[in-house]
Amino acid sequence: ASKKIAAALFAFFLGAFGAHKFYLGYTKQGVIMLLVFVFGFILLGVPSFVIGIIAFIEFILYLVKSDEEFELTYVTGRKPWF
């Protein structure tokens, strides 16, 4: 349960930087989110906005799932996106 809450908080506050991905052990996906966010400013912020939306959707999904379902999906099952 604590991993779920921590991941959700990371997704809400630092999700655009991929912090929740790094926390869950998805380094590759975390780097992708971080790079798209940082380099998104070159393209008038549109990619950064999209990454922020993705992080917010993942925040909602983390909170909606039960503790067991979160554990099976993201920790044991290693599902990196949605």
Side-chain angles (χ1 to χ4, degrees), residues 10-72:
F10 277 131
F12 185 76
F13 291 108
L14 300 170
F17 300 108
H20 60 295
K21 297 292 187 186
F22 290 114
Y23 178 74
L24 291 173
Y26 302 121
T27 307
K28 178 179 162 185
Q29 290 79 11
V31 169
I32 290 170
M33 289 185 81
L34 179 63
L35 291 176
V36 169
F37 181 79
V38 170
F39 292 119
F41 286 111
I42 296 170
L43 298 172
L44 303 174
V46 174
S48 300
F49 181 73
V50 171
I51 287 295
I53 296 296
I54 290 171
F56 186 74
I57 291 170
E58 289 182 333
F59 161 72
I60 299 292
L61 289 175
Y62 292 171
L63 289 182
V64 170
K65 291 184 183 290
S66 68
D67 293 342
E68 296 81 22
E69 189 178 6
F70 177 85
E71 190 77 24
L72 286 173

